[in-house]
Amino acid sequence: MVTTDLPTAKHFNASGFIDELCPLINFVHNSREHCSDYPSWSFRNTRPQYSAAGFDGPKLWWYQSCMSEGCSLGINLTGGCNHSSEHWPCQSGWPSYMIDAPAVMNRAMSWLSYLYDVTGELYWRANFVDNCNRDDAICSRFFPEPGPWGMDSWRSQLAQGGNGDGQLTYPGRPEVIGGKSVVPIASLRLKQIRDGLEDLEYLYALEDIAGREAALSFVRQLATNTFTYMRNVSLVMDVRMRLGDAIEVATKGFGSSATEWVL
């Protein structure tokens, strides 16, 4: 797997040597109005180009990164494509796993994976802050002697440009939660990611019974493109409920007409 986009892979004559390609979601579909300082070739939906180059199914993944909210170390100094000081992940439009982002933004990545027919998602770390200390090459600058040796993710997760970037769990230490051993504690963001993956499984379940267009009729109610999607939680839950109803109707033998009963 190579984490790059198709234009870059072609520029270096490398696309023929890549088994699995994993582009940044921001570069799969962008617009000049949304992020004008991104490459001009990203100002459209580039997803069809990946299919034309043979990157479909398990050969195509994607990922989100600090480019959605800013990649400065230690504090949010940059705002992804928006460089204003007041910019935060919830204003960027891209799906986000940051603490500051509304929960629905944690959930949206899976809807977009179905909409763009991307079968895998890469995320770089689940517990980066737990190891952000004086011995770490990236974090050592934040912990000069004398002073704290490292970060406590229960108190702060601002170690990258986004608050919580690379940290989806909390260390369940006995002195914090009781018990006799350390266990990972899921963050609320991780639970939203789980809910999004369950949404995705619902979409695949309906596709298996009634076809992809039937499932797309639901996901299009949730998302328009990579930076435009539903923010109203009540409406999200309504679509999820009707999607479940459609699966039940289709299972009973109505097939592709199932969506007519619940749309």
Side-chain angles (χ1 to χ4, degrees):
M1 178 182 290
V2 178
T3 53
T4 190
D5 50 76
L6 185 60
T8 301
K10 286 185 173 181
H11 175 77
F12 288 99
N13 297 317
S15 57
F17 301 95
I18 299 174
D19 294 324
E20 297 171 343
L21 195 60
C22 186
L24 184 66
I25 186 174
N26 312 53
F27 289 164
V28 173
H29 192 178
N30 177 35
S31 73
R32 185 182 301 276
E33 295 74 22
H34 186 63
C35 286
S36 60
D37 58 345
Y38 282 6
S40 59
W41 50 257
S42 73
F43 298 159
R44 60 187 182 279
N45 180 7
T46 66
R47 173 62 182 87
Q49 299 175 18
Y50 290 85
S51 294
F55 292 103
D56 269 325
K59 298 189 68 174
L60 181 63
W61 291 41
W62 63 359
Y63 71 107
Q64 58 175 276
S65 78
C66 59
M67 282 192 67
S68 296
E69 66 275 337
C71 295
S72 298
L73 291 175
I75 189 170
N76 194 342
L77 295 176
T78 61
C81 61
N82 183 340
H83 297 284
S84 58
S85 59
E86 69 274 12
H87 179 76
W88 291 98
C90 58
Q91 298 172 309
S92 71
W94 308 108
S96 174
Y97 293 158
M98 301 305 106
I99 292 173
D100 307 281
V104 72
M105 296 183 73
N106 306 153
R107 187 170 180 167
M109 189 76 172
S110 292
W111 311 337
L112 297 171
S113 291
Y114 191 86
L115 181 64
Y116 286 85
D117 197 18
V118 177
T119 58
E121 178 188 352
L122 177 68
Y123 192 65
W124 71 285
R125 193 78 172 266
N127 64 338
F128 173 76
V129 172
D130 294 337
N131 297 287
C132 187
N133 53 54
R134 197 175 295 150
D135 293 338
D136 182 86
I138 296 176
C139 296
S140 59
R141 71 180 75 177
F142 304 124
F143 304 104
E145 296 188 62
W149 177 70
M151 293 186 70
D152 180 356
S153 57
W154 288 102
R155 295 178 178 273
S156 174
Q157 295 191 10
L158 186 55
Q160 296 284 343
N163 194 11
D165 193 3
Q167 183 77 25
L168 299 177
T169 62
Y170 293 85
R173 301 187 297 268
E175 65 269 24
V176 177
I177 65 168
K180 296 182 179 180
S181 60
V182 177
V183 296
I185 305 296
S187 64
L188 292 176
R189 292 169 294 139
L190 186 58
K191 294 180 179 182
Q192 289 297 321
I193 295 169
R194 173 204 61 197
D195 289 346
L197 291 171
E198 290 175 352
D199 295 339
L200 183 60
E201 289 301 317
Y202 267 44
L203 292 165
Y204 282 131
L206 183 59
E207 177 183 323
D208 288 342
I209 304 168
R212 179 167 169 80
E213 281 303 315
L216 282 172
S217 67
F218 286 94
V219 80
R220 285 170 180 152
Q221 297 175 57
L222 296 172
T224 303
N225 54 45
T226 54
F227 49 89
T228 310
Y229 47 85
M230 179 64 66
R231 305 297 183 92
N232 187 310
V233 177
S234 296
L235 294 179
V236 169
M237 298 310 298
D238 177 68
V239 173
R240 167 71 174 256
M241 181 67 69
R242 289 186 285 109
L243 176 57
D245 291 342
I247 295 170
E248 183 177 2
V249 171
T251 302
K252 292 178 179 178
F254 291 99
S256 60
S257 65
T259 54
E260 299 176 7
W261 291 71
V262 291
L263 283 177

